[in-house]
């Protein structure tokens, strides 16, 4: 059985597919699968992409929506240089800073908030899961404050990161909330996604 390290080092089907189709990372197919299953993105939507760099989700969103839509992407790091579009607004900065929050608010409200942000991992599952939980809490706050009524939301979480408690909170905000693990997630990965549909 290949080790986890070898599995990550060798490009798998999804990584090769992303490279061929011009995406910065394989994570794009997770959002694609979420959209296919839950009908997340529609024409004319204003979408907020939290933790967007290097830009795979932003690129997919730009390719999927029409020119009347707007994609607002935010990350501490810059997007890949080939990620651009007339209907893309990018802010580089800390999602916890008041300045960035104000800029994001000015571009909203939003029909959809997506977050594929991952913490800086240490290899210690307890620490990594705790960091993931903090990102999820932040993303839920953005969804609660920035989404229009009826809006949709998805966020990555490391399994065992209190996903049931987060889903309980999300059910207070959304008509429906559930967990979902796309096929494009690595089999050995302990990441999954929380989906909120129809903001109340």
């Amino acid at each position: 059985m290949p080790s986890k390290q070898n599995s990550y080092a060798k490009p798998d089907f999804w990584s090769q597919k992303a490279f061929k189709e011009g995406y910065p990372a394989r994570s794009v197919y997770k959002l694609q699968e979420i959209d296919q299953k839950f009908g997340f993105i529609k024409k004319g939507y204003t979408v907020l992409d939290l933790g967007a760099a290097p830009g795979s989700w932003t690129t997919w969103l730009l390719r999927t929506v029409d020119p009347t839509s707007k994609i607002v992407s935010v990350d501490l790091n810059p997007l890949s240089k080939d990620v651009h579009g007339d209907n893309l607004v990018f802010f580089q900065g800390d999602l916890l800073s008041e300045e960035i929050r104000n800029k994001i608010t000015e571009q909203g409200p939003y029909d959809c908030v997506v977050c594929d942000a991952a913490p800086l991992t240490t290899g210690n599952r307890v620490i990594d899961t705790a960091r993931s939980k903090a990102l999820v809490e932040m993303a839920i706050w953005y969804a609660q404050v920035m989404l229009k009524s009826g809006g949709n939301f998805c966020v990555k979480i490391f399994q065992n990161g209190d996903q049931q408690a987060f889903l309980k909170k999300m059910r207070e905000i959304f008509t429906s909330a559930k967990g979902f693990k796309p096929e494009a997630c690595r089999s050995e990965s302990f990441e999954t996604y929380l989906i909120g549909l129809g903001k109340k």
Side-chain angles (χ1 to χ4, degrees):
M1 181 175 176
S3 70
K4 182 175 180 179
Q5 186 175 1
N6 288 342
S7 171
Y8 275 77
K10 182 181 178 183
D12 64 1
F13 167 79
W14 298 106
S15 298
Q16 293 173 4
K17 182 176 169 68
F19 177 76
K20 289 175 185 173
E21 295 184 359
Y23 292 109
R26 68 198 302 284
S27 57
V28 59
Y29 303 110
K30 302 168 191 175
L31 180 58
Q32 184 180 63
E33 194 175 336
I34 289 167
D35 181 54
Q36 288 171 347
K37 184 170 179 66
F38 299 105
F40 240 57
I41 311 298
K42 294 180 173 59
K43 290 181 178 179
Y45 265 18
T46 298
V47 183
L48 176 59
D49 184 1
L50 303 172
S56 283
W57 280 28
T58 293
T59 301
W60 184 85
L61 288 164
L62 288 167
R63 293 181 184 182
T64 301
V65 301
D66 65 332
T68 66
S69 303
K70 179 169 66 174
I71 311 301
V72 179
S73 298
V74 190
D75 201 287
L76 277 170
N77 300 306
L79 297 177
S80 295
K81 62 181 182 299
D82 54 348
V83 180
H84 51 80
D86 293 338
N87 51 344
L88 170 63
V89 178
F90 175 66
F91 299 123
Q92 185 172 350
D94 188 342
L95 284 160
L96 297 176
S97 79
E98 184 177 359
E99 178 189 4
I100 290 295
R101 281 202 305 266
N102 290 340
K103 288 181 176 180
I104 293 171
T105 301
E106 288 170 4
Q107 297 293 328
Y110 299 89
D111 300 283
C112 189
V113 173
V114 298
C115 180
D116 194 41
L120 291 172
T121 52
T122 63
N124 181 315
R125 188 157 178 170
V126 174
I127 294 172
D128 294 345
T129 299
R131 290 180 176 180
S132 172
K133 284 167 57 177
L135 286 174
V136 174
E137 287 171 355
M138 176 203 65
I140 291 175
W141 180 87
Y142 270 99
Q144 189 168 15
V145 173
M146 305 284 183
L147 273 176
K148 298 176 185 176
S149 177
N152 298 327
F153 170 63
C154 75
V155 60
K156 177 161 66 183
I157 184 173
F158 288 170
Q159 288 167 311
N160 300 326
D162 284 353
Q163 57 258 47
Q164 293 308 317
F166 283 127
L167 284 171
K168 183 178 179 182
K169 178 177 178 61
M170 286 170 60
R171 289 184 182 114
E172 299 171 0
I173 303 169
F174 296 94
T175 305
S176 171
K178 59 193 72 180
F180 177 66
K181 184 163 184 172
E183 287 183 16
C185 292
R186 294 181 190 273
S187 58
E188 69 271 32
S189 168
F190 57 102
E191 70 180 20
T192 190
Y193 289 80
L194 306 181
I195 311 294
L197 301 171
K199 182 173 181 278
K200 295 177 182 177

